[in-house]
Structure formats: structure tokens, C-alpha cells
Amino acid sequence: MTSQVSMTVLRLQAEDVQTLKDGINFKKNPEDGKCYIIYKAKDKLRACRNQCKHQGGLFIKDIEDMDGRTVRCTKHYWKLNVATMEYVNPPDSFMQDELEAVLSDTDGSLELVELNPPDPWTTEPREAQELHAGEITLTYITHACMELKAGNKKMMFDPWLTGPAFARGWWLLHEPPSDAMDRLCQADLIYISHMHSDHLSYPTLRQLSKKRPDIPIYVGNTSRPVFWYLEKSGVNLTNINVVPFGVWQNVDDHLRFMILMDGVHPEMDTCLIVEYKGHMILNTVDCTRPNNGRLPHGVDVMMSDFAGGASGFPMTFHGGKYTESWKADFIKNERKKLLNYKTQLVKSLQPKIYCPFAGYFTEAHPSDSYIKETNIKNSPVDLNESIRKSCPNTLTWTPLPGSVLDLALALKDPSNRSAITELNGTKIYKDSWDFDLYVDELNASISAEIFKYKSWIQHYYNWAGFKGYNLVIRVIETDDDFKPLHGGYDYLVDFMDLSFPDTRPEREHAYEEIKNRVGVMRHVVLNGLLWDDLYIGFNNRMNRDPDVYHHKFWNHFQTELPLSAPDWDHFLQIARETDVTDESSNNCVLS
């Protein structure tokens, strides 16, 4: 890991310090335009950047705040208590990164000091050398999968070539080139950015492992290991390399790469810098705030996600404000915000070439037609048009399967049409997905023996280990259309004391009703999987009272469940001897 450095981000003269009022003060650095919040109390000062941790929005005064301690984000209305640096909406979520407020004893001035890692890509710098045609090429495969050829080495990013992601919720929009699997098997190395199944695709890796089980795969050293599920998956890969963040990994004399963490989700997300003969390619993948906002300027190629829609919110919510018109307005505004954010990010970094990718998925299964119609995503064409208006010197590339960017030709003459070639006659969009093969695999869990015994519920949630939180959930097993399943389970979990009452407790408590497709829910339970398959995969429907996002609960079930699955063998040994079989649940079938 790289060492941190101390940097003064704002300095106030003594007279400016004296004008600080009690409570919240908004300040801007006149030199770089960056904004900060200073909270003044009787005996101390606290400070932070004026930037929401969620998606980088700006804070303003919260008109509902009666104590003068809270600010509100202009993007998604997250609220931060500056007196404690805790986010209060959603509760139990993030802590704001605090700046050191250093008050001078000599002249009364105030410095806000930030500890930052140095820009690690600047270590051992290399001058850019002249490239020959064909020396560096990028070939778009599908979704977030790119093939980088640099010299005589080939590197693959995030290969998702077959099967669904998030259980059965996401399917490939683009048809991979017919030789995509052969290309993957012939790669010299693979980078996988994070554990989400549209990037870490076990159906793809299962096919790869049959031909190249020893292919070198590189991942970042995230707190939740990227390959935490590998052993349980049955996929045989023997050369997985976990590397530290911010350290160059040398492939040969000219090619090296560096993995960086995400500032918002450091436990999971990563991004990548690849350098060949001094030419840099930046792949920010799905990172919300890659490398905490510090990124190289003027790279040769920048790639990022663009589409949005990668969440169950708000499509899977109902009741209260969640009318179809509210959802449509929210989704439209979110798309616009994301498009503007990506445009501004590209404008600030000034890459020579920009490519939107990692957003080419579709909710193709017929049972998800509502999601497909509602979850409208950004168009890469619209984003590139916005970028060209804002950054006229940046060449944009809207990739199609099999299309190739020749970096040498593009850098020499951005107007050269031969710098980007398309495969003539290549099928662009998928029109079949083998739904039954994968859905049947999920639904095989429905008849697992553990679900004969109602005590699986207590065993599972005890294994999950989440308690001491004033939330009650009702979980209802449903068919594909979210109608309660005859013979399916319908139960309450009280996370205050991890009990399983028959009725909701009389005390005041938060409540969520979660309807889950039975095949997906039981597959998740049986294998100890994360709840992303349910939430991001659109495999549930939710109603909550009050309408508050419970970050602590969802973060636990989406990122912090135990690394090993529940011990169902031991459970069955006990259950067979002591439990009464619930035959009705064992007989439930999908209609």
C-alpha cells in the first residue's frame, strides 16, 4: 500500500476565522473552487469537504434542521450531521471523511488538512513513446468486457460472455463475437474489477476453466474477496492473484497495470490503469468515486459505465409515493444527473479518447417486462454527444461487438476513420438467452430438503449474524409474478433481538415487507449468497414503513454475510431428529 501525504486544502486568515458563526459555515477555496463545510462549536471546529459520499452531490442548508447541525445533499437528499460527521439519512450508513482543522497559535489562521495517498501512477514515470499502427488495440466484446492488445500481450477485462447476472435479472444486450470465448482462453491475463456477477461471471469462468484453469487472473485486495465464492462455485481456477492497491504490476518491459480502489465502496469496487510505453488507459468500471476522486489527467483512453439502472430502486418498490409517474420522473432525473456527472468527469480529466461501456445489459426474461419498460437507461450515443459538446478535443467511441480501436491511428489523426473498425455482418443484439437452462438451475433449490423444516429460517438468520437493529422484515415467497406462493414461507424477522415472532411487535419499529421469487430466494439461502441477486436482480418487490433506506441492514446482506455458506448438513442432522416437517412448503411449485 502507498503511504499517505498531508495536504492543506483550505487556509483562512485570522480575520476570516473570526467571522465564523456558531454552527454550519460554507467556505470555498478561491484558488481551485473546491467547497468545504466548517462546523463551529464552543470548544472545537470540525470540517469536511462539501461533497456527499453517495454520488458526490453538493450539500446545502437543510431547511428542516432545527438545531443548525445538518446539511442536505442536492442530489438524493442524503443528510449529514456536521457536528458528528454521521449521515442521518439514511441512518446507520456512512461517516463523512473529516479534515483536520489546525488553528494556529501564532497568527490565528486556520488550515484544513487532508491526508491523501499520493497519485500512485506518478511513481516511476515513463515517457510516452511513439506507437506503430496495431501496437495497441482495444476490441469491444460485450458489456464491460474489452480485449486489450499491447505489444505481444493480450489482457481481458471483466469477461461476461454467457448466462445471466444477478440470478436471472440481467442478460447480455450485445451478442459477443463468435470467437469471444476463444479470445478469452488465449489471453495472457485477465482483470476482474469486482464480485458482481456482470463482471465476475461464473458461467463464463466455468467454460474458461475447462480449457485454461491456470490462466492468470488479477483482482484488487478488497476487504470482501472478489473470489470469495470460488470454492463453493465448483469452478477450477488455479492462478488468481490478489494485488495491493496503487502498486504497479509489471507484465513485461513495456506493459504494466495498477489497480485502484473506489472511495465509496472500497470493500468491493476497483478500477484500473494500464500503461504501455508511457501510454495510459483508465478503466473506472462501476466505481462511484474511483480512487477517492484522484485520477490521472490526459490519459490516452478512458472507459467508464454510463447506463444507470443498476439497482432495484425505485422499480421494485410499491406503496406510498411510488406511483408509476413518480418512478418515471425519478428515473428520468437520475439518468440526467448521471449523464451530466460523466460529462463533467470527462471534462475535468480531458482524456484523448473516451468510451462508454459496462452498461449493455437488458432485463430480457419475459417475467421482467415491467422492469425492462420502466428501467430506462442512458444511451451511450447521447453521452458521447454531450461529451463532444463539452470536450471538443476528446474523441468519443461508441463500441459495438467486435469493433476495434487502434490507438496509434487515433492519436495520430482523430479524424482517421480507419482508427476504428467494425466487423461487417456481425450480429449486434442478442435475441435468445437460454432462459430455461439457467432458471431451472435456480429453481432446483426449491425442493432442497432443508426447506421441509421451518427451523431453516432461524438457522439461516443466525448464520447471517445481523442483530441489534430496530427493524422488522416480513419475507414472503412468491411465484415469478410476485404473487404469494401456495405452500411458500411467509415469516417475520425482528432484528432487534433476532427473533421470529408471529405478529409485529408493539414497540415502535421500522418495517419492510419483501416479496421474493421463491427460486432465487432459496438459491441464495441454500448457497449463502449475497442479496444482490434479489435486490439488484429485480427478484423482489418491497414496501417499507417509514420510507427510509436502512443502509446498515442492506449493506450487511449485500456485502458482509459470512464467507462460508450455512452448515446445512449439520442442520439436517438435527432437524431430521427434532423438527416436524412442513410438507406444504416442500410441495410448492412455480405456476
Side-chain angles (χ1 to χ4, degrees):
M1 300 294 288
T2 55
S3 59
Q4 289 183 312
V5 295
S6 176
M7 180 175 68
T8 298
V9 295
L10 180 69
R11 191 174 193 275
L12 299 181
Q13 301 296 336
E15 53 266 32
D16 296 321
V17 175
Q18 293 171 5
T19 63
L20 292 175
K21 62 183 181 181
D22 290 340
I24 296 168
N25 298 265
F26 294 95
K27 292 293 180 181
K28 178 185 285 189
N29 188 329
E31 295 179 3
D32 60 12
K34 299 289 178 64
C35 298
Y36 303 89
I37 302 173
I38 301 174
Y39 181 81
K40 182 181 179 183
K42 289 182 180 179
D43 56 349
K44 73 174 299 183
L45 295 169
R46 303 192 76 164
C48 64
R49 286 186 179 271
N50 188 348
Q51 187 174 52
C52 181
K53 259 200 159 183
H54 180 219
Q55 286 192 358
L58 198 70
F59 287 112
I60 60 174
K61 182 177 174 58
D62 180 16
I63 59 174
E64 298 176 348
D65 175 34
M66 306 307 295
D67 298 325
R69 298 178 179 178
T70 306
V71 292
R72 176 174 63 84
C73 177
T74 54
K75 272 195 172 182
H76 299 103
Y77 306 109
W78 283 39
K79 293 185 179 183
L80 170 68
N81 184 329
V82 192
T84 62
M85 294 296 166
E86 296 177 347
Y87 283 81
V88 293
N89 182 29
D92 301 296
S93 55
F94 297 118
M95 291 289 294
Q96 185 76 338
D97 294 330
E98 190 169 359
L99 302 172
E100 187 80 14
V102 181
L103 194 61
S104 172
D105 293 332
T106 55
D107 61 4
S109 64
L110 175 69
E111 288 188 345
L112 302 187
V113 178
E114 185 177 52
L115 291 175
N116 261 324
D119 301 336
W121 53 88
T122 61
T123 60
E124 304 174 19
R126 295 178 179 177
E127 290 292 327
Q129 301 178 35
E130 184 178 352
L131 297 175
H132 304 294
E135 194 170 1
I136 299 183
T137 60
L138 280 163
T139 302
Y140 171 69
I141 307 299
T142 188
H143 190 57
C145 183
M146 281 270 190
E147 178 195 70
L148 168 66
K149 186 181 82 67
N152 62 357
K153 298 294 184 182
K154 292 182 179 178
M155 184 177 187
M156 276 281 194
F157 306 153
D158 287 334
W160 173 27
L161 306 181
T162 189
F166 301 108
R168 48 179 286 184
W170 293 28
W171 304 82
L172 286 168
L173 176 68
H174 286 156
E175 184 74 49
S178 58
D179 64 346
M181 186 57 69
D182 291 335
R183 286 173 175 266
L184 180 60
C185 292
Q186 294 164 9
D188 294 288
L189 65 159
I190 297 170
Y191 160 71
I192 294 181
S193 60
H194 61 294
M195 64 185 178
H196 280 165
S197 50
D198 58 322
H199 300 263
L200 172 56
S201 167
Y202 279 108
T204 302
L205 296 180
R206 184 170 290 111
Q207 292 189 28
L208 170 66
S209 67
K210 294 174 181 177
K211 296 182 179 180
R212 287 278 310 276
D214 61 345
I215 191 168
I217 299 176
Y218 291 85
V219 298
N221 189 21
T222 49
S223 58
R224 180 92 187 185
V226 175
F227 276 96
W228 69 273
Y229 189 68
L230 180 65
E231 183 177 352
K232 179 79 172 171
S233 75
V235 174
N236 180 34
L237 294 169
T238 61
N239 195 359
I240 293 170
N241 303 271
V242 180
V243 301
F245 294 114
V247 177
W248 284 118
Q249 307 295 321
N250 294 307
V251 179
D252 61 23
D253 290 343
H254 300 297
L255 178 64
R256 60 183 181 173
F257 67 91
M258 173 183 293
I259 299 178
L260 303 171
M261 74 171 68
D262 182 40
V264 174
H265 296 290
E267 78 286 350
M268 181 182 70
D269 269 340
T270 73
C271 58
L272 179 75
I273 297 175
V274 182
E275 186 183 74
Y276 176 80
K277 290 188 175 181
H279 294 272
M280 281 192 181
I281 296 167
L282 171 65
N283 177 7
T284 65
V285 206
D286 287 356
C287 285
T288 304
R289 196 159 181 253
N291 200 46
N292 220 22
R294 295 177 67 101
L295 293 169
H297 290 241
V299 298
D300 295 271
V301 182
M302 175 182 173
M303 301 179 288
S304 78
D305 64 338
F306 69 94
S311 167
F313 186 85
M315 290 78 65
T316 61
F317 287 69
H318 62 92
K321 70 183 180 186
Y322 296 107
T323 63
E324 296 309 309
S325 61
W326 187 93
K327 291 180 184 180
D329 288 342
F330 180 89
I331 293 167
K332 181 180 179 180
N333 289 334
E334 288 301 294
R335 287 203 326 269
K336 185 177 180 180
K337 288 177 184 177
L338 180 61
L339 188 143
N340 290 337
Y341 168 69
K342 294 297 180 181
T343 300
Q344 290 305 311
L345 182 61
V346 173
K347 183 178 180 180
S348 68
L349 296 178
Q350 292 291 314
K352 298 178 179 68
I353 302 166
Y354 173 75
C355 173
F357 83 146
Y360 299 101
F361 70 94
T362 181
E363 303 86 351
H365 195 278
S367 64
D368 285 327
S369 59
Y370 166 75
I371 298 293
K372 185 176 181 180
E373 293 166 3
T374 308
N375 190 24
I376 301 172
K377 305 169 191 70
N378 276 327
S379 158
V381 174
D382 290 345
L383 175 56
N384 277 343
E385 182 180 351
S386 174
I387 287 172
R388 285 193 296 272
K389 290 179 180 177
S390 183
C391 317
N393 295 324
T394 296
L395 172 67
T396 60
W397 174 29
T398 305
L400 295 174
S403 62
V404 182
L405 170 73
D406 188 315
L407 186 57
L409 296 180
L411 294 178
K412 186 175 182 180
D413 181 6
S415 64
N416 183 354
R417 292 189 176 183
S418 62
I420 298 174
T421 57
E422 311 288 351
L423 284 180
N424 293 327
T426 300
K427 184 177 180 180
I428 296 175
Y429 297 104
K430 288 186 73 69
D431 53 19
S432 63
W433 292 268
D434 291 328
F435 293 134
D436 290 345
L437 174 66
Y438 296 101
V439 174
D440 288 350
E441 184 179 321
L442 293 169
N443 288 344
S445 299
I446 295 174
S447 58
E449 185 183 356
I450 66 168
F451 299 112
K452 291 181 180 180
Y453 307 99
K454 189 175 181 179
S455 58
W456 75 262
I457 298 171
Q458 182 175 349
H459 184 85
Y460 174 73
Y461 288 97
N462 282 332
W463 164 84
F466 182 73
K467 65 185 298 186
Y469 188 76
N470 191 20
L471 171 68
V472 176
I473 64 169
R474 179 185 178 188
V475 180
I476 305 170
E477 292 186 328
T478 75
D479 63 13
D480 275 7
D481 298 319
F482 300 101
K483 295 176 182 177
L485 196 68
H486 176 69
Y489 284 102
D490 180 342
Y491 57 88
L492 294 170
V493 184
D494 185 344
F495 288 110
M496 180 61 81
D497 57 0
L498 199 51
S499 60
F500 306 90
D502 294 327
T503 59
R504 290 174 59 179
E506 294 183 2
R507 73 170 194 279
E508 186 174 335
H509 61 275
Y511 176 74
E512 288 200 23
E513 181 183 277
I514 307 173
K515 296 179 178 179
N516 292 322
R517 285 175 171 152
V518 62
V520 179
M521 182 61 185
R522 293 197 180 187
H523 179 73
V524 166
V525 167
L526 188 63
N527 294 286
L529 293 167
L530 300 171
W531 282 28
D532 284 337
D533 283 350
L534 294 161
Y535 184 65
I536 302 180
F538 315 114
N539 288 302
N540 57 19
R541 296 293 182 267
M542 284 180 283
N543 181 283
R544 57 194 186 189
D545 180 26
D547 183 22
V548 173
Y549 174 58
H550 295 281
H551 172 86
K552 195 170 184 178
F553 165 74
W554 283 106
N555 185 64
H556 185 90
F557 280 88
Q558 288 183 282
T559 67
E560 295 182 356
L561 289 177
L563 298 179
S564 298
D567 187 348
W568 293 120
D569 290 337
H570 181 66
F571 165 80
L572 285 174
Q573 288 177 7
I574 298 173
R576 288 167 183 155
E577 298 174 358
T578 61
D579 284 17
V580 176
T581 302
D582 187 340
E583 293 294 345
S584 62
S585 67
N586 186 47
N587 294 330
C588 68
V589 294
L590 290 177
S591 57

